């Protein structure tokens, strides 16, 4: 299934199924297709392992 991103006249962006049945009511209500939003998640950064404490 293909999907696209649509933006409402109020600014809400949502991903919708790219079918005439899903898109027609949105377009009639004034929604417009927009590019996919940029990913907002940061890549996971792995902390370096702490050196093991030596037992004396």
């Amino acid at each position: 299934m293909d999907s696209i991103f649509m933006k409402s006249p109020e600014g809400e962006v949502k991903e919708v199924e790219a079918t005439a049945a899903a898109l027609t009511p949105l377009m009639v209500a004034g929604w417009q297709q927009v590019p996919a939003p940029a990913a907002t998640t940061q890549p996971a950064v792995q902390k370096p392992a702490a050196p093991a404490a030596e037992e004396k």
Side-chain angles (χ1 to χ4, degrees), residues 2-4 8 10-11 17 21-22 26-27 31-32 35 38 42-44 50:
D2 290 330
S3 62
I4 62 170
S8 75
E10 293 79 30
E17 191 176 324
L26 294 175
M27 294 175 70
W31 289 62
Q32 297 178 341
Q42 298 288 332

Side-chain angles (χ1 to χ4, degrees), residues 9-38:
E10 293 79 30
E12 176 190 358
V13 175
K14 70 178 184 176
E15 187 174 10
V16 297
E17 191 176 324
T19 64
L23 295 175
T24 301
L26 294 175
M27 294 175 70
V28 168
W31 289 62
Q32 297 178 341
Q33 184 177 358
V34 295

Side-chain angles (χ1 to χ4, degrees), residues 46-54:
Q46 195 172 28
K47 293 182 180 180
E54 293 183 23

